[in-house]
Amino acid sequence: MEKKDLITDELLSHFKNGEELFDFLGEIQKRGVEKLLESELDVHLDYKKHGVSANTNARNGHTSKTINSRFGETTIKVPRDRDSTFEPIVVPKRHNVIDGIEKVIISLYSRGMSNTDIENQILDIYDIKVSPTSISRITDAVNEDIIAWQNRPLDPIYMVVWMDGVVFKVREGSKVINRTIYLAIGLKRDGVREVMGLWLGRSESASFWLGVLTDMKSRGVQDIMITATDNLKGFTDAITSVFPQSKTQICVVHQIRNACKYVAWKERRDFSNDMKPIYNAPNEEAARMALNDLSRKWKDKYPYAIKGWENNWDNLTTFLEFPVEIRKIVYTTNLIENLNGQVRKYTRNKMSFPTDTAVMKSVFLAIKEATKKWTKPIKNWGVIYGQFNIIFEDRLKNS
């Protein structure tokens, strides 16, 4: 049967201007919501209005509720049941914002806007007054999403996992203290990146990372081919205690920065140029020779700058075991640092957070915003995956 066009020219001709049409659409929405609520109660009671109930519960009149939408503020009738067990879905209890406005509020919050800024923005765009308390309630609903996301199952195998921490200021009583958000990004077998989770701790430590790695394993991770981290003391031991077969790579860029801290400003450029032959070497033997050259030239003057290379040598040169394509993605934690930068951008308006929950909520939403385009494999994934299959043939074949 041919579908009848409900919006006819004759109907539209009754409206003198856009304002009248807007008011009409608002009334249509109001009646539609009320009808949906009645239908929901029908299902809840298992009988239609004016029908016969098969149980003791029954309709019990209506209550009035003011809701906000893009059509402004309006009052609707919400049906009640005698046992007060009816939980509306289209307009849940304690909710008064509908029609996508909640999604807009969450999106603005994820971009770092304060509750007051969001209140003003919604008022300017939609001419709707939404209180800061309502905004907090709406964004607090994200906490359930965080719990579900943080406990979701992970893949059994990851090609590379990058790990790093980001420090935020959180108010605790009358003090402002540091909190560290621990982040892990995994490269899956299909070449797509995913944030495996975020964890909140007081300060970055190897012992906390041990807990993070244990959590990953409990959520299904069986093996990690390569990990890329900073040179936090004890981090490598924590990784190998949970994933003993994993190749561990300390970020070379972090090492370069740390070494330069011990070098006088006027000589940093020369020192940096002398470090390049180490990480640009074709193999570990050539890299060792380059380190010896660096040591002969600078060790007497800057012993601590050289000591960092020597103490972490095995984990700094792991990447040299691999083909160039794999080296490029594992020798540095730039990928996760770029994500950290995006999170900082979205949270820069918040000098400090009132609670641990608030910082988790903001970082979670910022990550969701920053990783929207993480849907395709990384560049040259076909070549890289082929190399992984050759190097880790037994571990990938048996997984």
Side-chain angles (χ1 to χ4, degrees):
M1 186 173 70
E2 184 178 350
K3 186 177 179 180
K4 187 175 181 181
D5 188 0
L6 300 177
I7 309 298
T8 64
D9 290 341
E10 182 180 357
L11 173 64
L12 294 175
S13 67
H14 288 84
F15 304 107
K16 298 177 182 178
N17 50 50
E19 186 176 347
E20 287 189 1
L21 176 59
F22 191 82
D23 291 341
F24 173 74
L25 293 175
E27 181 62 25
I28 291 294
Q29 182 193 58
K30 167 181 158 60
R31 294 187 185 183
V33 168
E34 290 177 338
K35 184 66 177 176
L36 286 171
L37 289 169
E38 293 288 352
S39 298
E40 284 186 32
L41 186 57
D42 288 346
V43 173
H44 179 71
L45 297 176
D46 198 25
Y47 80 99
K48 293 186 177 182
K49 195 173 184 179
H50 307 305
V52 179
S53 174
N55 53 57
T56 58
N57 198 8
R59 283 176 169 78
N60 189 30
H62 297 79
T63 58
S64 295
K65 181 172 186 172
T66 300
I67 60 172
N68 291 311
S69 75
R70 71 180 60 181
F71 298 109
E73 187 177 271
T74 188
T75 301
I76 61 171
K77 292 181 178 179
V78 180
R80 297 183 304 187
D81 65 322
R82 189 175 295 162
D83 294 345
S84 299
T85 56
F86 177 46
E87 296 283 347
I89 297 173
V90 64
V91 185
K93 288 181 179 178
R94 296 172 295 280
H95 284 235
N96 64 347
V97 182
I98 64 170
D99 190 37
I101 300 298
E102 290 194 357
K103 290 183 178 180
V104 173
I105 289 171
I106 290 174
S107 178
L108 294 175
Y109 188 90
S110 71
R111 288 171 168 81
M113 293 183 67
S114 67
N115 289 358
T116 302
D117 290 338
I118 294 172
E119 177 189 9
N120 294 333
Q121 187 86 343
I122 295 296
L123 185 62
D124 289 343
I125 297 175
Y126 298 102
D127 197 26
I128 296 172
K129 177 68 174 177
V130 183
S131 69
T133 302
S134 295
I135 293 169
S136 291
R137 178 191 52 74
I138 291 168
T139 56
D140 281 346
V142 174
N143 294 332
E144 294 181 5
D145 296 335
I146 295 175
I147 294 171
W149 177 80
Q150 189 66 19
N151 290 282
R152 76 195 191 281
L154 296 172
D155 287 3
I157 299 291
Y158 286 87
M159 302 293 102
V160 185
V161 172
W162 296 266
M163 291 177 276
D164 198 11
V166 193
V167 178
F168 293 91
K169 300 289 185 183
V170 179
R171 292 190 291 277
E172 188 177 79
S174 59
K175 298 180 180 179
V176 175
I177 61 173
N178 287 337
R179 284 279 196 266
T180 299
I181 291 286
Y182 294 73
L183 289 171
I185 299 175
L187 182 65
K188 300 189 292 184
R189 295 184 74 160
D190 59 4
V192 176
R193 298 160 292 165
E194 74 165 335
V195 178
M196 302 169 73
L198 56 95
W199 300 262
L200 184 69
R202 280 194 173 270
S203 60
E204 190 172 9
S205 66
S207 61
F208 194 96
W209 275 116
L210 179 62
V212 169
L213 291 157
T214 303
D215 179 63
M216 291 180 189
K217 192 166 188 176
S218 71
R219 290 163 59 200
V221 181
Q222 299 171 10
D223 199 2
I224 299 170
M225 303 301 111
I226 307 171
T227 59
T229 69
D230 60 22
N231 61 352
L232 179 70
K233 186 177 180 180
F235 205 161
T236 297
D237 291 338
I239 294 168
T240 54
S241 69
V242 182
F243 299 104
Q245 290 184 288
S246 181
K247 295 280 188 177
T248 55
Q249 171 65 47
I250 289 177
C251 176
V252 173
V253 174
H254 274 84
Q255 177 56 41
I256 293 169
R257 292 174 186 162
N258 290 338
C260 285
K261 289 178 183 177
Y262 299 103
V263 178
W265 178 259
K266 64 180 180 180
E267 293 185 309
R268 283 187 184 179
R269 176 174 293 182
D270 290 340
F271 188 87
S272 296
N273 287 334
D274 288 341
M275 284 192 289
K276 287 181 181 179
I278 300 175
Y279 55 86
N280 287 331
N283 52 54
E284 197 271 340
E285 183 180 7
R288 172 62 76 174
M289 292 176 62
L291 177 61
N292 291 338
D293 291 340
L294 182 75
S295 181
R296 278 192 294 269
K297 182 176 179 179
W298 297 99
K299 190 170 185 177
D300 290 342
K301 196 170 187 179
Y302 303 116
Y304 286 102
I306 305 300
K307 190 176 180 180
W309 282 100
E310 293 174 341
N311 290 348
N312 298 296
W313 183 253
D314 290 342
N315 297 120
L316 281 168
T317 55
T318 299
F319 76 104
L320 294 173
E321 301 175 20
F322 302 103
V324 173
E325 290 80 7
I326 295 180
R327 292 184 189 186
K328 289 180 179 178
I329 63 173
V330 302
Y331 86 102
T332 174
T333 55
N334 276 353
L335 185 147
I336 197 167
E337 288 188 19
N338 288 339
L339 177 62
N340 290 346
Q342 290 292 308
V343 170
R344 288 287 191 197
K345 183 181 77 173
Y346 289 128
T347 59
R348 66 180 182 271
N349 291 334
K350 298 179 174 70
M351 299 301 293
S352 63
F353 292 85
T355 62
D356 290 347
T357 301
V359 71
M360 284 287 284
K361 180 171 65 174
S362 290
V363 173
F364 172 76
L365 290 171
I367 287 172
K368 286 291 187 182
E369 193 69 29
T371 59
K372 280 182 177 179
K373 295 182 180 180
W374 286 15
T375 57
K376 296 180 180 179
I378 63 172
K379 187 178 180 181
N380 296 327
W381 178 242
V383 173
I384 295 171
Y385 187 60
Q387 294 170 347
F388 270 109
N389 269 305
I390 294 171
I391 298 168
F392 301 104
E393 180 181 7
D394 292 340
R395 288 160 66 185
L396 292 174
K397 183 174 61 178
N398 296 328
S399 62

